[in-house]
Amino acid sequence: MSLTADSNTSPLRVLFVCLGNICRSPLAEVVVKEAAQQRGIAELFHFESAGTGSWHIGLGADQRSAAKALQHGLNLNQHAAQQITHDNISDWDILVAMDADNRQNLLAMGAKDEQILMMRMFEQQGAAADVPDPYYGAHDGFEDVYQMLRLNADALLVHLQDSRS
Ligand code: 4NP
């Protein structure tokens, strides 16, 4: 399947989506970006992240996510939270939802079903599990999130690469 008319020349625009855009999706953005760099395919993609909610627009990443990124050699210092809405959804070729609620919210905004991937869809056959929201949980939750993102990053990239051709 070709996702965009000019998908062989311009970077595929991929948006990681969670609720607040301060915990999960910013971490997903840098984890997958780094995996793409390691595979030498970073120039094929334009990655950003956004939240379905508006509470944190313009703010930096949650300190626990920023610390987790740093612990794994990644950097979230430049992050500024943004919101995905009906008005900017068509800017994106692919939306990668962290959980089923994010997916439902994206569909309600007018995203097309085929535009949405689930972050954990590469772990096993069948319905993809959620990347659980770590915001109100313990510190361990952020390591769990990181491991889930890392576990799916390479397969996501293969999928995205295949979808360009
Ligand atoms: P995120 O986590 O969706 O992974 O960024 C959350 C951040 C903030 C809130 C909820 C989840 N909040 O309710 O403010």
Side-chain angles (χ1 to χ4, degrees):
M1 176 182 61
S2 180
L3 291 161
T4 58
D6 57 356
S7 61
N8 289 322
T9 54
S10 58
L12 193 68
R13 294 180 59 81
V14 179
L15 187 72
F16 295 93
V17 178
C18 61
L19 179 59
N21 192 216
I22 57 171
C23 295
R24 292 166 291 174
S25 61
L27 202 50
E29 179 187 339
V30 291
V31 165
V32 175
K33 211 179 265 183
E34 155 129 317
Q37 281 161 359
Q38 285 173 346
R39 296 173 78 93
I41 56 171
E43 75 282 358
L44 299 180
F45 307 104
H46 176 85
F47 294 118
E48 291 186 29
S49 62
T52 57
S54 62
W55 310 283
H56 305 285
I57 291 173
L59 299 182
D62 184 286
Q63 286 189 356
R64 297 164 295 176
S65 261
K68 186 53 65 183
L70 204 58
Q71 189 187 331
H72 291 285
L74 303 170
N75 190 332
L76 278 178
N77 291 345
Q78 303 305 314
H79 181 69
Q82 55 182 353
Q83 186 183 21
I84 179 78
T85 68
H86 169 77
D87 291 340
N88 59 20
I89 211 158
S90 60
D91 292 348
W92 299 97
D93 299 312
I94 296 285
L95 305 158
V96 184
M98 297 298 119
D99 67 31
D101 284 347
N102 305 148
R103 180 174 178 280
Q104 284 307 319
N105 286 331
L106 289 168
L107 289 170
M109 280 174 214
K112 300 186 199 76
D113 202 23
E114 63 269 24
Q115 207 180 348
I116 308 175
L117 301 177
M118 296 301 292
M119 186 69 225
R120 293 186 70 187
M121 66 187 279
F122 304 100
E123 287 177 39
Q124 60 195 41
Q125 296 294 332
D130 291 343
V131 179
D133 184 349
Y135 186 67
Y136 292 108
H139 262 278
D140 289 1
F142 286 79
E143 177 62 21
D144 292 345
V145 166
Y146 173 82
Q147 293 299 336
M148 289 168 195
L149 298 173
R150 197 63 205 85
L151 186 62
N152 286 272
D154 290 306
L156 171 63
L157 284 168
V158 169
H159 182 92
L160 292 174
Q161 218 174 348
D162 286 350
S163 69
R164 284 175 51 93
S165 51

